[in-house]
């Protein structure tokens, strides 16, 4: 029979679980499945060893679920790899957030990884991780991530700065309209990939704080990680330059869920 | 390691009325334990250091050669595991060592690092529990150490049984913030000797990797490396301790200090790792830093005094291994830049027995001009028949080859030396095209610059105004280039007239297409179009030309290009809706002929876009440059698509709705496709 001991102090918790075969495991209170584990142990007279093992080995079980969706996922040394490369901390943190929230929408996470792998620039990918490392990420069903854009308060949600971009396939000069549902694009080679340049060519999106303070109205947009070009150093890495985004909605408060579905 | 408070000898005639040994109040035990547990300022480092050095000590004691194994915690598996393959501990030993503060098996030995009897409990600084599993004499024992309600730790023996694994001890600690431990581990294991540890199954990156110089007991590390620390570090038993500047200076200041030691105090290096024997220096009980004691200062002094010989021996070995004298000189020049002259006296070093730094006289058949700073800051020019040159200044020599008989030398050389700011001190003229002096190894990799006479004269002409100190170069992209190249004015003059473009268009695909026969120029902030036109007649502002070129390109599209553009428009407009249709209706959508055709059109357009990504980018870029809208779709196609897109919000509502019945799906599909031909 499984026995366990929970130690709680003002600074944290730790749980030790002893299995019938003599093996013992200790995990900290920050373990992704700590809460369901404790719930199961407390509410079950004779806890199921396999269920407890699955909860403890959440990395392996999650990787198994991801592998069902993509053969490009592997799990070694406690790290999930995609195409043989360990996931960045920011992505692992998102996965832990999904696990904690009991959100099993791994399809969109895998779609995000596949989209990310399509980004032709390693430097752009690394800069995206810098942007994501400071904040929680929200992903759409087709593997795009959510960003925010500050615009002018007019019917067309036009951009603050003027420039050239393609809106739903049509070329626009001047203040770019950002109507809900529009796809805004510009050729990738015209988007500056220099992170040292703060204000230069490219489609700019940012964090909630940045966008909300920048524009009169704040839009929620989805950006394909494939289309990310650079993250400027100014404004504490809050901005992001891309070559394509889709306007999803006008919002008044930031999203705090790991997943987003269109309203 | 020997305890610094051991070996106390008491002698004298003092008599007291009563004498009592000092002790710890049993009531204050929890408090004392708390103090001893929380004496670390860097908890992840303390835990890694204590348990991994314990593991290494176990190998040392058992005479085992294999590395210890460390498995770092991750966000998904947040448990740190340290495993050694020593003789293991019996249950009694585990309880004796891990359950008692101050208990250590290593006191009095300089072979092993531990001594204080505190480190084995350091896990409590990070976690509320830790596990010790030991295999000893074929028996396996698992013990859980946990903080108790009274503030004093509790010990529970959870398992005793026959062992299936090799003997040794494994420590497991559930770590609340695994990323901190991972980041610390990268730097901590950087000082460990090769082959002594495997981290996550691999050899960790070492401070020796990419080092400027590595020799026995000393590493001048690469300060840019992720695993190195700035300044001086003493390595004892594989563990690196930062040497505080104040302690270094105390070790340096000594009235009899040799010159080299004094130089270290003022110059030093950016990242140094010097190994000292275990027990040579005193460390704090937390083992986080060095104690400023006379013994530590003595040890640092002996390291500093031994350093010049160590360096000289190592550098000499590397010089002798060099392929040529020039390579040796070049190698030495690198070390001279990195090391203070008192630490590395060049005069002692040779290349296979021949002095390197000694000046060498090169007999010249032609004159040499020397530029030196005069007392008033101007340059003095001198004509020499012989060139006295040492390897240390070989980089300052410009050899002009192929000098024709009777060619003007004095004047152009004077102008070159006066106006050139690249540091050249000598200009040597020679009629040979492949002159070889003893120290000058011509060819790739040679530190000596050589230039044929015609090119030298050409370069001199560039200084015609007498005010520019550097030849003007422009960032240029010519048809034959893959990447932009800095090019001088004469080169541009020999090409078709260049065009100036802004960063937005410079090097873009459409610009390469339009200007396929002339170079593009990107001006810097300090350069102007007028300046370029003055230097290169015929140069033009390219933006207007590019716009015209893009329009011309779009007016003369081939059917292939037109098809690519149409496909691009379809994909951009329909992409999201097509995905949503697929997600909501799946195969069902294929059963409606109108929808099937529309989806087939989209998939075909998508394939075209993928196959012709380059053409697509070019054409969109051309439209963007020309400022013209993308071409519209065929009217009937446009109407169908618009109708479908008007109804597309239904799809997002359906996606949100979740599981739908077949009837609901059919109804939704019918609504979505009413405008399409053959909808039924």
């Amino acid at each position: 029979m499984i026995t366990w001991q929970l130690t709680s102090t003002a600074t944290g918790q730790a749980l030790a679980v002893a299995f019938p075969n003599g093996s013992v495991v200790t995990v900290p209170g920050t373990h992704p499945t700590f809460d369901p584990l404790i719930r199961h142990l407390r509410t079950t007279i004779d806890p199921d060893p396999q269920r407890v093992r699955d909860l403890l080995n959440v990395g392996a079980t999650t990787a198994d679920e991801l592998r069902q969706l993509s053969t490009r996922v592997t799990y070694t040394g406690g790290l999930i790899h995609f195409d043989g490369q360990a996931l960045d901390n920011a992505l692992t943190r998102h996965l832990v957030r999904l696990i904690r929230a009991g959100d099993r929408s791994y399809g969109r996470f895998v779609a995000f990884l596949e989209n990310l792998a399509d980004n032709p620039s390693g430097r752009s990918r690394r800069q995206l991780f810098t942007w994501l490392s400071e904040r929680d990420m929200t992903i759409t069903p087709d593997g795009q991530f959510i960003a925010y854009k500050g615009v002018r308060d007019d019917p067309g949600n036009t951009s603050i700065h003027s420039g050239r971009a393609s809106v739903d396939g049509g070329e626009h000069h001047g203040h770019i309209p950002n109507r809900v549902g529009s796809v805004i694009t510009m050729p990738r080679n015209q988007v500056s990939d220099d992170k040292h340049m703060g204000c230069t060519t490219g489609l700019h999106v940012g964090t909630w704080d940045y966008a909300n303070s920048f524009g009169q109205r704040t839009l929620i947009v989805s950006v394909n990680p494939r289309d990310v070009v650079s993250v400027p150093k100014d404004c504490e890495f809050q901005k992001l330059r891309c070559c394509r985004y889709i306007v999803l909605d006008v919002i008044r408060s930031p999203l705090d869920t790991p997943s987003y579905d269109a309203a | 390691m020997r305890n610094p408070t051991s070996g106390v000898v008491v002698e004298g005639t003092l008599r007291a009325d009563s004498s009592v040994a000092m002790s710890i109040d049993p009531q204050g035990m929890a408090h004392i334990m708390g103090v001893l547990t929380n004496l670390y300022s860097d908890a992840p480092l303390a835990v890694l250091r204590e348990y991994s050095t314990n593991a290494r000590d176990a190998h040392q004691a058992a005479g085992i050669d294999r590395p210890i194994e460390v498995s770092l915690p991750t966000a998904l598996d947040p448990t740190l595991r340290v495993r050694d393959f020593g003789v293991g501990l019996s249950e009694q030993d585990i309880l004796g060592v891990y359950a008692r503060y101050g208990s250590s098996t290593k006191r009095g030995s300089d072979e092993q690092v531990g001594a204080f009897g505190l480190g084995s409990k350091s896990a409590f600084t990070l976690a509320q529990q830790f596990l010790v599993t030991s295999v000893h004499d074929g028996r396996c024992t698992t013990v859980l150490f946990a903080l108790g309600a009274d503030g004093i730790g509790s010990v529970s023996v959870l398992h005793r049984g026959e062992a299936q694994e090799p003997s040794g001890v494994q420590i497991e600690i559930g770590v609340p913030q695994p990323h901190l431990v991972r980041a610390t581990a990268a730097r901590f294991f950087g000082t460990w000797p090769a082959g002594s540890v495997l981290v996550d199954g691999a050899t960790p990156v070492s401070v020796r990797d990419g080092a400027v110089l590595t020799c026995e007991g000393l590493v001048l590390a690469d300060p840019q490396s992720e695993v190195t620390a700035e300044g001086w570090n003493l390595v004892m038993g594989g563990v690196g301790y930062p040497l505080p500047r104040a302690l270094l200076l105390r070790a340096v200041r000594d009235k009899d200090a040799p010159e080299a030691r004094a130089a270290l105090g003022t110059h030093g290096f950016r990242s140094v790792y010097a190994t000292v024997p275990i027990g040579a220096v005193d460390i704090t009980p937390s083992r986080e830093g060095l104690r400023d004691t006379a013994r530590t200062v003595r040890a640092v002094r002996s390291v500093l005094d031994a350093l010049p010989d160590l360096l000289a021996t190592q550098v000499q070995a590397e010089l002798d291994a060099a392929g040529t004298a020039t390579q040796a000189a070049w190698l030495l020049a690198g070390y001279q830049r990195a090391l203070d002259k008192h630490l590395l006296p060049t005069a002692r070093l040779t290349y296979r027995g021949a002095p390197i730094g000694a000046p060498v006289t090169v007999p010249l058949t032609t004159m040499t001009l020397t530029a030196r700073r005069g007392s008033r800051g101007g340059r003095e020019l001198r004509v020499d028949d012989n060139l006295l040159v040492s390897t240390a200044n070989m980089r300052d020599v410009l050899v002009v080859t192929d000098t024709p008989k009777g060619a003007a030398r004095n004047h152009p050389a004077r102008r070159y030396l006066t106006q050139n700011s690249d540091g050249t001190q000598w200009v040597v003229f020679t009629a040979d095209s492949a002159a070889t002096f003893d120290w000058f190894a011509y060819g790739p990799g040679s530190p000596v610059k050589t230039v044929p006479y015609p090119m030298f004269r050409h370069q001199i002409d560039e200084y015609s105004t007498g005010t520019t100190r550097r030849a003007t170069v422009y960032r240029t992209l010519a048809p034959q280039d893959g990447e932009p190249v800095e090019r001088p004015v004469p080169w541009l003059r020999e090409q078709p007239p260049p065009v100036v473009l802004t960063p937005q268009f410079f090097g873009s695909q459409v610009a390469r297409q339009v200007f396929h026969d002339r170079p593009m120029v990107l001006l810097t902030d300090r350069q102007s179009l007028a300046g370029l036109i003055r230097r290169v007649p015929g140069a033009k502002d390219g933006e207007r030309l590019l716009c015209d070129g893009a329009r011309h390109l779009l007016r003369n599209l081939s059917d292939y290009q037109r098809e690519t553009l149409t496909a691009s428009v379809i994909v951009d407009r329909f992409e999201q809706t097509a995905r949503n249709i697929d997600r909501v209706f799946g195969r069902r959508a294929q059963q409606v002929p109108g929808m099937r055709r529309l989806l087939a059109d989209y998939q075909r357009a998508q394939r075209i876009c993928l196959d012709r990504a380059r053409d697509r980018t070019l054409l969109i870029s051309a439209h963007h440059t020309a400022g013209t809208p993308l071409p519209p779709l065929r009217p009937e196609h446009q109407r169908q698509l618009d109708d479908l897109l008007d109804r597309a919000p239904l799809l997002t509502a359906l996606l949100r709705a979740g599981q739908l019945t077949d009837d609901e799906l059919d109804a939704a599909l019918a609504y979505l496709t009413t405008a399409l031909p053959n909808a039924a």
Side-chain angles (χ1 to χ4, degrees):
Chain A
M1 182 177 163
I2 283 184
T3 54
W4 54 281
Q5 180 179 323
L6 174 68
T7 309
S8 303
T9 65
T11 53
Q13 292 181 302
L15 171 72
V17 182
F19 289 90
N21 65 354
S23 66
V24 189
V25 177
T26 176
V27 291
T30 54
H31 188 276
T33 54
F34 194 79
D35 290 341
L37 197 52
I38 289 290
R39 219 170 21 248
H40 181 71
L41 293 171
R42 276 185 179 146
T43 55
T44 317
I45 296 167
D46 186 8
D48 171 19
Q50 193 50 46
R51 164 106 176 108
V52 174
R53 271 188 208 284
D54 284 348
L55 285 169
L56 283 169
N57 300 331
V58 64
T61 46
T62 307
D64 281 344
E65 287 188 51
L66 294 175
R67 255 199 305 271
Q68 305 277 326
L69 299 163
S70 171
T71 52
R72 297 160 80 179
V73 174
T74 48
Y75 182 73
T76 40
L79 295 168
I80 290 182
H81 295 68
F82 191 80
D83 285 347
Q85 196 166 9
L87 293 193
D88 184 84
N89 260 345
L91 302 185
T92 311
R93 206 182 59 225
H94 180 81
L95 199 54
V96 169
R97 207 164 144 237
L98 286 178
I99 294 167
R100 289 217 178 102
D103 185 340
R104 287 284 182 272
S105 56
Y106 295 140
R108 58 182 73 197
F109 184 71
V110 169
F112 178 91
L113 296 178
E114 285 171 346
N115 287 336
L116 181 67
D118 287 343
N119 191 314
S121 163
R123 194 189 296 170
S124 298
R125 287 197 291 270
R126 281 192 296 277
Q127 290 186 37
L128 173 62
F129 294 144
T130 311
W131 193 78
L132 293 173
S133 65
E134 294 300 318
R135 50 199 59 91
D136 288 335
M137 176 169 56
T138 302
I139 301 185
T140 66
D142 52 354
Q144 308 200 16
F145 66 95
I146 294 295
Y148 303 91
K149 185 163 182 72
V151 292
R152 301 201 297 190
D153 189 11
D154 57 21
N157 299 332
T158 55
S159 61
I160 305 283
H161 290 306
S162 58
R164 288 178 181 185
S166 163
V167 180
D168 293 332
E171 289 297 310
H172 269 272
H173 290 204
H175 297 278
I176 306 299
N178 287 278
R179 292 194 178 81
V180 172
S182 292
V183 181
I184 321 291
T185 58
M186 72 183 284
R188 187 178 177 112
N189 65 358
Q190 290 178 17
V191 180
S192 168
D193 63 352
D194 187 351
K195 67 177 178 181
H196 301 288
M197 288 178 74
C199 224
T200 181
T201 52
L203 302 177
H204 288 76
V205 296
T207 62
W208 164 261
D209 288 341
Y210 176 77
N212 196 39
S213 61
F214 184 70
Q216 298 152 350
R217 188 182 282 181
T218 309
L219 303 178
I220 182 172
V221 301
S222 68
V223 182
N224 193 321
R226 173 197 66 200
D227 298 324
V228 171
V229 178
S230 59
V231 175
K233 284 174 82 174
D234 70 331
C235 302
E236 297 168 332
F237 299 101
Q238 290 206 80
K239 279 195 292 187
L240 183 146
R241 270 196 286 270
C242 59
C243 60
R244 185 177 183 276
Y245 65 83
I246 302 169
V247 182
L248 297 179
D249 210 345
V250 180
I251 55 157
R252 293 184 185 282
S253 58
L255 297 178
D256 56 1
T257 53
S259 301
Y260 172 86
D261 294 291
Chain B
M1 208 177 93
R2 289 180 198 282
N3 190 329
T5 58
S6 63
V8 178
V9 178
V10 180
E11 192 178 350
T13 56
L14 182 72
R15 284 180 189 280
D17 288 344
S18 64
S19 178
V20 181
M22 292 171 76
S23 64
I24 294 174
D25 177 11
Q27 303 297 319
M29 195 57 198
H31 170 68
I32 296 295
M33 275 184 62
V35 171
L36 294 177
T37 303
N38 296 314
L39 81 166
Y40 304 105
S41 61
D42 186 341
L45 177 62
V47 169
L48 280 171
R49 183 182 54 233
E50 299 303 338
Y51 293 104
S52 52
T53 49
N54 278 353
R56 224 183 103 196
D57 284 348
H59 280 205
Q60 191 99 27
I64 292 171
D65 217 11
R66 69 180 282 186
I68 66 161
E69 290 178 7
V70 177
S71 167
L72 295 177
T74 65
L76 294 169
D77 181 12
T79 303
L80 168 70
R81 298 178 184 88
V82 181
R83 172 78 155 101
D84 71 60
F85 302 90
V87 292
L89 296 170
S90 66
E91 184 179 324
Q92 207 173 0
D93 288 342
I94 295 174
L95 298 180
V97 171
Y98 289 90
R100 289 186 196 156
Y101 280 85
S103 168
S104 171
T105 56
K106 306 169 192 172
R107 217 165 279 150
S109 161
D110 274 349
E111 296 300 310
Q112 297 166 314
V113 182
F116 296 113
L118 303 176
S120 57
K121 299 87 183 168
S122 61
F124 284 141
T125 64
L126 271 189
Q128 290 74 24
Q129 300 176 340
F130 68 97
L131 275 175
V132 179
T133 305
S134 172
V135 177
H136 176 70
D137 283 346
R139 302 281 302 166
C140 176
T141 313
T142 304
V143 183
L144 175 72
F145 294 81
L147 291 174
D150 53 1
I152 301 175
S154 69
V155 184
S156 314
V157 179
L158 299 180
H159 176 71
R160 299 179 185 98
E162 292 297 318
Q164 306 296 324
E165 299 210 341
S167 63
V169 175
Q170 173 161 286
I171 310 292
E172 288 172 75
I173 307 159
V175 178
Q177 290 178 299
H179 63 283
L180 293 182
V181 176
R182 294 185 75 82
T184 306
R187 184 165 284 197
F188 174 70
F189 289 112
T191 54
W192 278 50
S196 60
V197 61
L198 286 178
V199 179
D200 287 336
T203 304
V205 178
S206 167
V207 294
R208 290 172 290 276
D209 298 338
V212 176
L213 190 142
T214 305
C215 52
E216 185 64 36
L218 181 78
V219 179
L220 301 190
D222 171 14
Q224 304 293 332
S225 164
E226 283 180 3
V227 302
T228 57
E230 288 273 317
W232 275 79
N233 300 274
L234 292 189
V235 180
M236 186 168 75
V239 180
Y241 299 93
L243 179 61
R245 177 92 181 141
L247 216 159
L248 176 68
L249 290 179
R250 245 163 65 64
V252 166
R253 281 183 198 137
D254 179 352
K255 61 180 179 171
D256 302 323
E259 218 171 16
R261 198 205 295 165
L264 279 167
T266 48
H267 299 285
F269 311 100
R270 284 183 64 195
S271 184
V272 187
Y273 289 83
T275 304
V276 294
I278 294 175
V281 292
D282 291 327
I283 54 176
T284 57
S286 66
R287 297 217 285 169
E288 288 184 316
L290 298 165
R291 287 174 62 207
D292 190 349
T293 62
R295 204 152 71 100
T296 308
V297 171
R298 266 201 312 278
V300 176
R301 272 187 191 147
S302 64
V303 166
L304 298 182
D305 290 344
L307 205 75
D309 283 339
L310 267 177
L311 287 176
T313 309
Q314 181 66 24
V315 172
Q316 183 60 65
E318 290 188 22
L319 291 178
D320 287 337
T324 64
T326 307
Q327 282 173 7
W330 194 232
L331 199 64
L332 181 60
Y335 284 128
Q336 280 177 322
R337 273 199 302 278
L339 307 174
D340 186 88
K341 63 181 178 185
H342 296 296
L343 295 174
L344 195 65
T346 316
R348 286 169 53 187
L349 299 167
T350 58
Y351 172 63
R352 298 178 187 173
I356 292 180
V360 173
T361 302
V362 179
L364 297 173
T365 52
T366 55
M367 73 179 79
T368 306
L369 285 163
T370 311
R372 290 185 193 283
R373 288 273 176 203
S375 56
R376 293 182 184 175
R379 292 203 161 196
E380 295 171 355
L381 299 176
R382 201 173 67 224
V383 179
D384 295 327
D385 289 331
N386 289 313
L387 176 63
L388 202 65
V389 62
S390 75
T391 49
N393 52 34
M394 280 167 66
R395 279 166 299 141
D396 301 331
V397 179
L398 174 71
V399 179
V400 181
T401 60
D402 304 309
T403 309
K405 194 176 177 187
R409 297 163 187 168
N410 198 337
H411 183 60
R414 185 187 295 271
R415 276 179 43 204
Y416 180 85
L417 290 170
T418 310
Q419 295 167 357
N420 200 298
S421 59
D422 67 356
T424 302
Q425 294 288 317
W426 285 274
V427 180
V428 179
F429 292 97
T430 170
D432 290 346
S433 58
T436 48
F437 300 113
D438 187 23
W439 287 102
F440 299 156
Y442 290 97
S446 166
V448 181
K449 285 188 297 180
T450 63
V451 57
Y453 186 79
M455 199 180 287
F456 178 71
R457 280 307 303 256
H458 199 75
Q459 213 169 350
I460 291 296
D461 288 344
E462 282 308 301
Y463 302 111
S464 53
T465 60
T467 53
T468 317
R469 294 183 65 81
R470 213 177 261 278
T472 306
V473 291
Y474 285 96
R475 197 163 174 74
T476 311
L477 196 62
Q480 68 268 27
D481 298 336
E483 292 293 322
V485 182
E486 304 279 346
R487 287 202 165 97
V489 170
W491 185 90
L492 278 170
R493 281 187 198 145
E494 289 165 8
Q495 307 297 317
V499 289
V500 174
L501 289 175
T502 56
Q504 190 183 357
F505 296 115
F506 179 72
S508 69
Q509 213 175 331
V510 66
R512 283 175 194 258
Q513 175 89 10
V514 171
F515 303 118
H516 59 88
D517 56 349
R518 54 201 292 190
M520 292 174 262
V521 170
L522 179 68
L523 298 175
T524 65
D525 292 343
R526 293 182 171 191
Q527 292 172 337
S528 67
L529 178 62
L532 177 66
I533 291 171
R534 196 170 62 241
R535 292 186 181 92
V536 186
K540 280 196 167 53
D541 181 1
E543 195 133 348
R544 195 190 171 91
L545 291 174
L546 181 65
C547 192
D548 292 344
R551 283 194 184 129
H552 177 78
L553 180 77
L554 293 171
R555 270 199 302 274
N556 298 292
L557 287 181
S558 64
D559 287 346
Y560 176 85
Q561 287 172 316
R562 221 179 294 280
E563 185 184 42
T564 310
L565 260 181
T566 309
S568 174
V569 173
I570 291 176
V571 167
D572 274 350
R573 293 204 61 191
F574 195 47
E575 188 175 20
Q576 184 68 35
T577 307
R579 281 186 187 213
N580 285 348
I581 288 172
D582 187 46
R583 197 165 301 123
V584 174
F585 300 112
R587 288 173 174 275
R588 193 183 294 266
Q590 299 287 347
Q591 290 163 8
V592 180
M595 184 64 86
R596 186 169 60 230
R597 191 174 309 125
L598 206 61
L599 287 173
D601 280 355
Y602 166 71
Q603 280 156 5
R604 184 167 167 276
Q606 206 178 24
R607 263 198 312 280
I608 289 174
C609 287
L610 279 176
D611 293 346
R612 308 177 190 173
R614 198 173 163 77
D615 297 307
R616 183 191 181 198
T617 315
L618 171 70
L619 293 168
I620 291 175
S621 173
H623 269 288
H624 184 77
T625 309
T628 54
L630 288 172
L633 298 173
R634 285 201 309 274
E636 72 279 9
H637 207 144
Q638 177 78 35
R639 204 170 48 249
Q640 288 169 17
L641 197 56
D642 282 347
D643 189 77
L644 191 65
L645 291 176
D646 282 346
R647 291 159 199 249
L650 171 73
L651 290 170
T652 49
L654 291 175
L655 273 172
R656 208 174 51 248
Q659 199 65 42
L660 294 171
T661 65
D662 287 354
D663 289 346
E664 285 168 330
L665 282 175
D666 286 341
L669 194 56
Y671 167 72
L672 206 61
T673 54
T674 43
L676 302 178
N678 303 322

